[in-house]
Amino acid sequence: MPRQNNHKIAIRTLLAGTIAALLASGALATSPATSQEQDRGTNGIVPRAAASSLTAEYAALRRAQIADVDYTIAVTLDGDADGFTGVVTADTTLARDLRQPLTIDFAGGEVKSVSTNGKPVKFDYNGHFISIAPRNLRKGENEIVIEYSHPYSSDGSGLHRFKDQEDGSAYLYTHFEPYKANRFFPHFDQPDLKARYTVEVTAPADWQVITSAREDKVEELKDGLKRWHFPQTKKFSSYIFPLHAGPYKVWESDANGIPLRLFARKTMAEYVKPEDWFKFTRESFDFYQKYFDIPYPFGKYDQVIVPDFTIGAMENVAAVTFNEAAYVSRGTKTQAQRQRLANVIAHEMAHMWFGDLVTMKWWNGLWLKESFATYMASLALAENSEFGDVWQNFYLGSKRWAYGADQLPTTHPIEVTVPNTDEAFSNFDGITYGKGGSVLNQLPYYLGKEAFRQGVSNYLKQYSYGNAELADFMGALGKAANKDLHQWTQNWLYKAGVNTISASFQCDKDRITALSIEQTAPEQYPVLRSQKVQLGIYRMQGNKMARVAKVPAIYSGARTEVKDAVGMPCPQILNPNDEDWAYVKTSLDGNSVAAINRHINDIESPFTRLMLWQSLYDSVTDAKLPLTDWIDFAISNAGRETDINVIRLIAGHLESARAYLFRLDISQTLRKEKLQAIEDFAWKQLNAAPAKSDAQKTWFQTWSDLAQSKTALKRAERLLDKKLNIKGLEIDKDRSWPLIALLNRNLFGDYEERINRQLENDSSDRAQLAAISARAGRPTLEAKNLWLNNILDKREDLKLSQIRAAAGSLFPAEQLDLYRKLSPRLFAAVPQVSNTGDTLYNKAYAMLFPVVCSKEDAKAYSSILAEHPELMPALGRVLKDRRQQSEWCEAMNTLQHQANN
């Protein structure tokens, strides 16, 4: 039964006003809790430091103190003000008498009054949390009322305010994960203290107001305001509580009885394609409700497209937010972009069950909800969408991201200890999403698809509206499959690193007589694992390299005999992880490598070509194949490729190869020759691609990044001026900016005037950020110092999105000489940046540090890490990775020198 009554809001608002008046008159005053109230000591007492994060230890104590809690929130919003005001009532059931103060999380606001059980009380507020002495609370039910105010955020977290430069409209949205909900309202901000929420919002009359429930009443007020009343929600964690407001454009639809709405700001509405959004949403609902065997639990489903967002999307209950820049294009979308949109819609919807309905107890379980949604999104698209290349895109994105992250020094087990909320954020990485999703993708092959599905369904049903841990999930899967998953869990989820497999075979009379899989592990992570792979056997059939046999096999340990392969055709190419079933690196035998070099374009399967092209480039970054040899191979062979996913992969590798050409210590003559060869190839492919095709759009983006010759820069000018046309390619607003950035990076022509002229025609915030990137990319000390000053000394005057735009463009690979001149200042500022305690700012600052290829440059990373071992994870982890990547680059350099000599 609901514990809240909507009529209480007005009474509590009146009470809070009375308390505020008493405070103003001096009748009450806030004061720090006394030493007796702190009750410090042993016997279950956990003192709380005045810090911006929440520790796992303290969260566990508070969970033991609080048996239940629900919230009533009343806020007043004004888009033209600097902040907002609110009153929150926390109906809190204490499990026991308190022996130390109860703390209520609330960062960076002002607390005007606190009352408990109808009486004003003294309280302590340190800018991070409110403390209430035990004498003011009792075992059982308590009503805590807090009147407060808080500034709007400009960094994409808390309650973020965005002012549209084009029409002056203000838009608000919330983003709370992992520990930012307390920047919106005072409460117990931890995932295992789930609550119901009753909400009332006073806002401008022309605004939409969106939260987890549909409004049941809207009152017309004086002065152009409305008051929105929302009924009590179901129980869920506060980090997924949403409140979005502003003059959003709204579209409505339906998914078999589930009301759907889509929101976007007015100036971007013309670029939104609601038919795609609703189509992908309906398809996802169709799949998940059947797969989980649980009806959608939250009634309605809103999706809100928001600017300045710091991540891709967020699974707020029944009001999901999406990154506008990532998912709204001002030109024609490619199929890859449409699939990305479908995938993120499916990903966030999977969270409605796995993450929102059932939630991890603490942030060590973050990976599970993200990995699960990553895997399920691809499964949903593969089973119920128009896209036929879903698993290829999973490999291109999640899998490659995971492999890269798992080989860095900052790799970690999938399941890790998370001591505090700062550490939780540092684990939003390729292990959390990509490796976890890849490992879950392996489980249906290992357990059986139906056993896996049944285990998931049972888990969700058992823990609905509650919290669970990894053991609960693995127990449900093991029970459904009748398998003991203890050792599997230990090897895959509690130990870091990626294994490598190779296959060796013998043949007689063109038939396999013996085949084995050898497995190795990196020295620092020596565990050998077991999983199921598919061996792909390829032979020339006419003019095609066709797969003539496939052999499923479960390998374990250092060597596994595959008896089922005996008698199969002798391979010309043997792919040990065909169709990407397993999470593992592969090392190809010499005969297969030789055949690939001769027949890469004859291989019939696009997925196999995709994986083999990646394997070849891995050989470059693993310092087994000289970079220039790969460039020659790519230019000789890539022109015949027709599959868009393989084209996208090769194009990305060419951009990476260009960057390495500037990093490696090679002669100017060789560098210039290879740069020109890459540029010419990309231009040729751009002009040869079918008009309006995805290949054409891909090669345009690649050429815009690769171009460096005067001929190419003149072409860029002519494309901007409509004096040069490529059939089917529209140089729209979004495609103009890469060309303008290219001219600025090379100080070519009237590059500054280009920016000003473009801003006159395109005054959007997207254009403003593109202009910052273009200016920061200029190869002058003046430009670098200007933006470095802004990032370090004027960050309070800039939005986080502006800092990120500058940092991401300040030191491209061809400008390493400028980086070296400024690196002393960059490194000197590291402690200052870390000491801000701002995770998002630290992540942005980390973008300044490039991969370098000299021992001297790499030493700077070692020195700063040795001098400051306690840097914020968001910065320290990146510096560790850059050091390792720089050492790998040195190995590439050595190999290249040997090849040149």
Side-chain angles (χ1 to χ4, degrees):
M1 294 288 291
R3 298 174 57 214
Q4 301 277 22
N5 185 323
N6 289 340
H7 296 295
K8 287 185 178 181
I9 293 176
I11 296 171
R12 289 164 182 161
T13 304
L14 178 62
L15 175 60
T18 303
I19 296 169
L22 289 170
L23 284 168
S25 68
L28 293 173
T30 65
S31 66
T34 67
S35 58
Q36 290 81 13
E37 289 167 345
Q38 290 295 334
D39 197 13
R40 297 179 183 274
T42 56
N43 301 319
I45 301 299
V46 182
R48 184 174 184 184
S52 60
S53 64
L54 177 68
T55 67
E57 181 185 26
Y58 187 82
L61 167 78
R62 194 162 60 181
R63 182 66 187 88
Q65 292 174 329
I66 299 171
D68 197 18
V69 63
D70 289 328
Y71 301 106
T72 299
I73 307 166
V75 294
T76 299
L77 307 176
D78 181 348
D80 293 325
D82 294 328
F84 59 97
T85 60
V87 177
V88 60
T89 301
D91 285 337
T92 308
T93 302
L94 295 180
R96 63 195 187 197
D97 291 325
L98 300 183
R99 300 169 57 201
Q100 67 185 87
L102 181 69
T103 65
I104 301 174
D105 309 314
F106 184 53
E110 179 186 355
V111 181
K112 298 180 180 179
S113 66
V114 176
S115 74
T116 63
N117 302 316
K119 296 179 181 179
V121 298
K122 293 182 179 181
F123 61 92
D124 177 40
Y125 179 54
N126 59 18
H128 303 293
F129 54 83
I130 302 160
S131 296
I132 302 174
R135 64 172 178 267
N136 296 313
L137 297 160
R138 63 196 176 212
K139 180 180 177 181
E141 294 187 358
N142 294 266
E143 182 184 77
I144 304 170
V145 181
I146 303 171
E147 184 181 14
Y148 67 96
S149 64
H150 199 286
Y152 291 123
S153 165
S154 63
D155 66 359
S157 63
L159 181 57
H160 180 89
R161 175 181 175 272
F162 173 85
K163 190 73 173 282
D164 195 319
Q165 298 298 311
E166 293 185 82
D167 68 359
S169 296
Y171 296 89
L172 310 177
Y173 62 84
T174 54
H175 178 58
F176 294 153
E177 190 176 34
Y179 185 62
K180 302 294 186 183
N182 65 85
R183 291 174 61 176
F184 173 61
F185 72 107
H187 72 290
F188 309 111
D189 194 356
Q190 60 190 74
D192 61 351
L193 283 174
K194 287 190 166 184
R196 303 175 189 90
Y197 308 84
T198 306
V199 181
E200 175 188 285
V201 178
T202 302
D206 63 337
W207 281 17
Q208 298 284 340
V209 180
I210 307 133
T211 187
S212 291
R214 279 281 186 101
E215 66 277 4
D216 54 10
K217 184 173 67 171
V218 180
E219 296 178 78
E220 296 278 354
L221 304 178
K222 296 179 180 178
D223 302 321
L225 299 173
K226 287 182 179 178
R227 182 168 294 141
W228 298 62
H229 298 265
F230 298 90
Q232 188 179 70
T233 69
K234 294 182 178 180
K235 221 169 184 57
F236 55 83
S237 303
S238 63
Y239 79 90
I240 41 179
F241 170 81
L243 183 67
H244 319 310
Y248 287 99
K249 163 78 174 174
V250 58
W251 298 267
E252 299 194 48
S253 190
D254 180 88
N256 290 325
I258 301 168
L260 306 179
R261 294 188 298 183
L262 176 66
F263 298 85
R265 58 182 167 122
K266 293 180 291 185
T267 57
M268 290 297 291
E270 65 178 292
Y271 305 110
V272 176
K273 294 181 171 53
E275 61 276 12
D276 270 359
W277 286 79
F278 288 136
K279 176 179 185 290
F280 301 147
T281 301
R282 290 190 199 96
E283 289 172 347
S284 295
F285 268 127
D286 287 346
F287 178 77
Y288 287 135
Q289 293 192 105
K290 293 172 186 173
Y291 189 91
F292 297 139
D293 190 30
I294 299 172
Y296 172 62
F298 298 113
K300 58 91 177 178
Y301 199 67
D302 294 332
Q303 297 175 105
V304 189
I305 306 168
V306 299
D308 277 353
F309 211 37
T310 58
I311 60 173
M314 183 62 203
E315 68 268 20
N316 307 304
V317 171
V320 180
T321 40
F322 293 83
N323 186 317
E324 180 188 87
Y327 300 108
V328 177
S329 172
R330 297 190 295 179
T332 306
K333 279 184 180 289
T334 63
Q335 274 295 88
Q337 288 173 316
R338 291 184 71 247
Q339 188 173 150
R340 276 186 67 221
L341 174 60
N343 187 280
V344 75
I345 287 172
H347 179 111
E348 301 310 322
M349 190 185 293
H351 280 310
M352 296 299 116
W353 287 266
F354 206 111
D356 293 7
L357 179 64
V358 180
T359 311
M360 71 275 169
K361 289 183 179 178
W362 181 246
W363 296 105
N364 60 307
L366 166 69
W367 79 269
L368 183 56
K369 76 179 181 73
E370 294 304 338
S371 296
F372 185 83
T374 298
Y375 165 66
M376 287 303 302
S378 291
L379 183 65
L381 264 61
E383 301 271 334
N384 192 41
S385 80
E386 68 190 71
F387 304 106
D389 57 353
V390 173
W391 294 115
Q392 289 94 316
N393 276 278
F394 181 84
Y395 174 82
L396 265 175
S398 296
K399 206 70 169 285
R400 292 197 307 142
W401 185 22
Y403 287 145
D406 215 3
Q407 296 172 81
L408 290 167
T410 53
T411 189
H412 53 83
I414 294 176
E415 174 92 359
V416 295
T417 299
V418 178
N420 57 59
T421 50
D422 283 344
E423 291 286 336
F425 199 89
S426 70
N427 290 322
F428 279 61
D429 61 10
I431 305 299
T432 301
Y433 288 82
K435 184 176 181 179
S438 299
V439 167
L440 291 180
N441 185 28
Q442 165 66 204
L443 273 174
Y445 294 110
Y446 192 67
L447 303 178
K449 292 182 179 180
E450 177 55 24
F452 179 82
R453 188 207 67 76
Q454 189 63 57
V456 169
S457 178
N458 293 344
Y459 166 81
L460 293 173
K461 289 172 181 175
Q462 182 175 354
Y463 296 101
S464 288
Y465 303 105
N467 298 86
E469 297 179 295
L470 175 61
D472 303 318
F473 179 64
M474 299 309 298
L477 295 183
K479 185 176 180 180
N482 196 27
K483 284 191 178 183
D484 182 353
L485 293 175
H486 174 75
Q487 194 57 51
W488 187 95
T489 303
Q490 289 298 313
N491 287 345
W492 280 104
L493 305 181
Y494 287 101
K495 295 178 182 177
V498 57
N499 298 98
T500 300
I501 60 169
S502 59
S504 59
F505 56 90
Q506 291 84 45
C507 295
D508 184 36
K509 297 179 181 178
D510 243 4
R511 294 284 166 176
I512 295 173
T513 56
L515 189 150
S516 63
I517 298 173
E518 284 79 37
Q519 178 183 197
T520 60
E523 185 178 345
Q524 62 273 43
Y525 304 111
V527 62
L528 296 178
R529 299 178 170 94
S530 176
Q531 62 180 323
K532 192 172 186 177
V533 292
Q534 177 174 270
L535 303 172
I537 298 172
Y538 291 80
R539 291 183 61 88
M540 286 298 294
Q541 305 284 295
N543 61 356
K544 287 292 181 183
M545 180 69 74
R547 184 174 63 194
V548 295
K550 52 186 179 181
V551 185
I554 295 177
Y555 70 84
S556 60
R559 189 171 185 274
T560 302
E561 293 285 346
V562 184
K563 294 180 180 179
D564 289 346
V566 174
M568 296 286 185
C570 191
Q572 289 177 287
I573 295 174
L574 178 60
N575 185 6
N577 188 22
D578 205 46
E579 294 187 340
D580 192 37
W581 286 13
Y583 178 78
V584 68
K585 289 186 70 175
T586 59
S587 177
L588 302 176
D589 65 275
N591 290 336
S592 293
V593 171
I596 291 166
N597 285 331
R598 293 192 303 272
H599 298 291
I600 187 70
N601 289 305
D602 299 326
I603 298 170
E604 208 165 29
S605 164
F607 200 170
T608 303
R609 295 199 304 275
L610 183 74
M611 295 182 71
L612 294 178
W613 270 104
Q614 179 62 46
S615 181
L616 286 171
Y617 198 71
D618 285 344
S619 298
V620 176
T621 53
D622 290 344
K624 296 177 180 177
L625 176 68
L627 176 68
T628 52
D629 287 7
W630 181 87
I631 291 171
D632 293 342
F633 177 83
I635 289 173
S636 298
N637 290 279
R640 290 173 54 198
E641 183 56 63
T642 57
D643 182 80
I644 185 58
N645 290 321
V646 185
I647 289 170
R648 288 166 55 212
L649 180 78
I650 296 169
H653 286 161
L654 285 170
E655 293 180 48
S656 173
R658 169 197 173 273
Y660 277 117
L661 284 172
F662 285 106
R663 295 180 186 130
L664 296 181
D665 181 22
I666 58 178
S667 71
Q668 287 290 351
T669 301
L670 182 59
R671 179 180 293 117
K672 186 175 181 179
E673 173 193 331
K674 297 305 177 187
L675 286 170
Q676 191 61 52
I678 291 173
E679 178 192 292
D680 290 345
F681 178 77
W683 179 252
K684 180 180 177 182
Q685 296 309 114
L686 169 58
N687 284 273
K692 299 184 178 181
S693 67
D694 289 359
Q696 184 185 64
K697 294 163 188 169
T698 299
W699 285 116
F700 169 77
Q701 187 60 50
T702 300
W703 178 80
S704 300
D705 182 71
L706 295 174
Q708 42 84 40
S709 70
K710 285 188 177 179
T711 298
L713 297 172
K714 288 178 181 176
R715 284 171 175 159
E717 282 192 320
R718 294 177 65 206
L719 284 168
L720 283 167
D721 294 334
K722 312 295 186 194
K723 294 179 180 177
L724 174 63
N725 294 306
I726 298 172
K727 185 178 179 182
L729 183 70
E730 180 187 358
I731 306 301
D732 55 29
K733 291 177 180 178
D734 286 347
R735 290 200 183 94
S736 295
W737 282 110
L739 298 175
I740 292 170
L742 173 65
L743 299 178
N744 275 267
R745 266 201 339 262
N746 291 275
L747 301 181
F748 191 84
D750 56 349
Y751 53 89
E752 173 62 23
E753 179 58 28
R754 291 277 180 189
I755 291 178
N756 295 332
R757 202 155 61 232
Q758 189 69 17
L759 287 174
E760 289 177 4
N761 298 323
D762 180 9
S763 60
S764 67
D765 61 290
R766 192 175 295 191
Q768 300 288 342
L769 295 177
I772 289 174
S773 294
R775 288 173 171 139
R778 291 175 185 167
T780 67
L781 272 175
E782 179 186 16
K784 306 307 177 192
N785 275 312
L786 171 65
W787 284 103
L788 192 53
N789 288 340
N790 288 339
I791 291 168
L792 287 172
D793 303 328
K794 299 182 179 179
R795 75 182 188 96
E796 298 299 332
D797 301 327
L798 297 173
K799 295 194 295 184
L800 180 70
S801 57
Q802 295 171 317
I803 293 173
R804 291 173 65 173
S809 300
L810 209 59
F811 296 114
E814 69 269 24
Q815 296 177 18
L816 283 176
D817 58 331
L818 291 169
Y819 160 75
R820 292 186 177 105
K821 290 177 181 177
L822 290 171
S823 62
R825 186 181 178 198
L826 282 171
F827 283 105
V830 162
Q832 163 197 335
V833 172
S834 181
N835 288 339
T836 64
D838 185 331
T839 298
L840 294 173
Y841 177 57
N842 272 258
K843 287 186 77 171
Y845 191 74
M847 296 168 70
L848 292 166
F849 293 94
V851 175
V852 290
C853 282
S854 76
K855 290 183 179 179
E856 192 61 34
D857 287 330
K859 279 181 184 177
Y861 289 126
S862 296
S863 297
I864 194 70
L865 289 166
E867 292 167 13
H868 302 280
E870 300 300 324
L871 296 173
M872 283 201 77
L875 179 54
R877 285 165 60 97
V878 172
L879 297 177
K880 290 175 185 177
D881 288 345
R882 292 293 178 270
R883 176 176 61 186
Q884 180 64 73
Q885 290 164 326
S886 298
E887 290 171 358
W888 288 337
C889 191
E890 286 181 54
M892 292 171 60
N893 211 14
T894 300
L895 182 68
Q896 188 66 55
H897 274 271
Q898 293 170 353
N900 294 344
N901 296 327

